[in-house]
Amino acid sequence: MDSQVLVALALSLVGGLSTSVGALFVVLNEAPNLKILGLLQGFAAGLMLSISFLDLAHNAINSIGFLKGNLWFFGGVIFFGIIANFIPEPTLAPSSDVRGKKKSGDEGGKDTLKKHRRQVLYSGIITAIGISLHNFPEGMAVFLGSMKGLRVGVNLALAIALHNIPEGVAVALPVYFATQSKWQAFKLATLSGFAEPLGVIIVAYLFPSSLSPDILEGLLGAVGGVMAFLTLHEMLPLAFDYAGQKQAVKAVFLGMAFMSASLYFLEISLPQEISL
C-alpha cells in the first residue's frame, strides 16, 4: 500500500474513531429519561437535516446543476418513501396513553415500553446509517487533503474529529436507551465512524477509474433525499412525542446550527482545490 494512502488512512481513523469518544459520553452515564432523549433526538434530527439540505443536496446542485441535483435528491426521497411502506414498525403511543396504560396494569406498561424502545432503536439505526454515509465523503476529503500535504491532512483530520464527537452521541444515545447495552451503543457508534477510512480506500483505489464525479455527486444528493425523508418520517415524530413540539423544534434548530458551523470550519480547513 502506498505511503500516502497509509498516512491518509491513519488520519481518517483519527477522525472516524472520534465517534467512539462521543459514544463514551453516553455509556459512562445512566440512560436518560424520555424528555432528555426527545431533546437529543431533536438535536440529531437537526444534524441530519443540515447534512441533507445544506451539505449533500447543496453540493449536488452546485456540481451538476439545479435540475439534475433536484432530480437526484427527490429520486432518493421517492425511492425510500416506497421502501418505507414495506418496513414494519411499531406504533408510537402518545405520552398520555403511556401514563394511562401504566395505571391500568404493569403488563400494559411493559408492552408500551417495548414499543418505545423498538422505535428508538430504529431511530438510532437510521442515524448511524445517515452519519456513515456522511462520513464517507469526509474520508475522501482527508485523502485529497493529505495528498496536498501532511499539514493540511492533519488539520482536516482534527477538525473532522471534533465534528464527529456529537455524531457519536447522536448514534449511541438511542441505542443505549433501547437496548440498555453499553456495548451495543458503543459498537454501533464506532462502526458509523469506520465509513471514513472506507472513503479513503474507495477514493484511492476505485473512484478514479470506475465512477465519474457527476454520478458520485448525484448519488450523494440522492442520499441526502433519503436522509431527509427518514428524519422527517421517523426522528421528528419521536422527538415531538417525548420532548413536546416547542422544545423539540428548538433542539432541531440547535442541531442544524451546530452542524452548519461545523461544516463551515471543515470547509475553511481545506485548500481551495478541495471541498467536502
Side-chain angles (χ1 to χ4, degrees):
M1 189 178 285
D2 187 85
S3 60
Q4 284 186 315
V5 177
L6 284 173
V7 169
L9 199 58
L11 291 174
S12 69
L13 281 170
V14 171
L17 290 177
S18 64
T19 56
S20 303
V21 177
L24 284 175
F25 285 117
V26 174
V27 302
L28 293 178
N29 295 286
E30 294 183 3
N33 60 40
L34 288 178
K35 184 172 183 181
I36 296 298
L37 181 71
L39 289 172
L40 290 171
Q41 282 291 288
F43 183 82
L47 297 181
M48 298 274 281
L49 289 174
S50 186
I51 291 168
S52 175
F53 290 111
L54 305 180
D55 183 18
L56 299 178
H58 173 76
N59 287 342
I61 289 170
N62 283 344
S63 298
I64 61 178
F66 183 83
L67 178 60
K68 288 183 180 179
N70 274 279
L71 287 174
W72 277 101
F73 178 85
F74 286 106
V77 171
I78 294 168
F79 170 75
F80 207 84
I82 293 170
I83 289 178
N85 290 325
F86 301 98
I87 299 175
E89 55 183 280
T91 303
L92 187 63
S95 300
S96 58
D97 292 347
V98 174
R99 288 192 293 267
K101 286 185 179 180
K102 285 184 178 178
K103 287 179 182 177
S104 65
D106 291 339
E107 189 175 338
K110 287 179 181 177
D111 289 343
T112 301
L113 184 59
K114 285 181 182 178
K115 288 183 179 180
H116 278 281
R117 284 183 171 168
R118 284 198 298 270
Q119 185 79 3
V120 170
L121 179 61
Y122 185 50
S123 174
I125 292 170
I126 287 168
T127 306
I129 293 171
I131 286 174
S132 296
L133 293 169
H134 170 64
N135 284 344
F136 182 78
E138 286 181 357
M140 294 181 172
V142 168
F143 173 76
L144 295 172
S146 63
M147 294 290 286
K148 287 286 177 181
L150 184 60
R151 183 187 62 81
V152 174
V154 169
N155 288 343
L156 181 57
L158 291 176
I160 288 174
L162 293 173
H163 157 87
N164 282 351
I165 289 173
E167 294 180 354
V169 174
V171 173
L173 184 77
V175 176
Y176 181 29
F177 177 87
T179 65
Q180 299 295 298
S181 169
K182 294 182 178 183
W183 167 242
Q184 292 295 334
F186 183 81
K187 181 173 70 174
L188 193 58
T190 301
L191 286 174
S192 70
F194 275 115
E196 207 152 299
L198 181 62
V200 171
I201 294 169
I202 294 295
V203 77
Y205 292 106
L206 301 178
F207 170 65
S209 60
S210 63
L211 198 63
S212 74
D214 283 358
I215 295 295
L216 178 65
E217 288 294 346
L219 288 172
L220 290 174
V223 167
V226 171
M227 288 172 61
F229 179 89
L230 287 170
T231 302
L232 296 173
H233 188 259
E234 301 293 340
M235 297 178 70
L236 274 186
L238 194 68
F240 287 168
D241 188 81
Y242 289 162
Q245 290 190 11
K246 290 184 178 179
Q247 296 301 318
V249 166
K250 291 176 184 177
V252 168
F253 280 109
L254 181 62
M256 291 185 73
F258 181 90
M259 182 56 73
S260 296
S262 182
L263 289 171
Y264 169 75
F265 286 115
L266 280 179
E267 189 68 27
I268 64 175
S269 299
L270 290 165
Q272 290 184 353
E273 295 87 350
I274 305 172
S275 64
L276 280 173

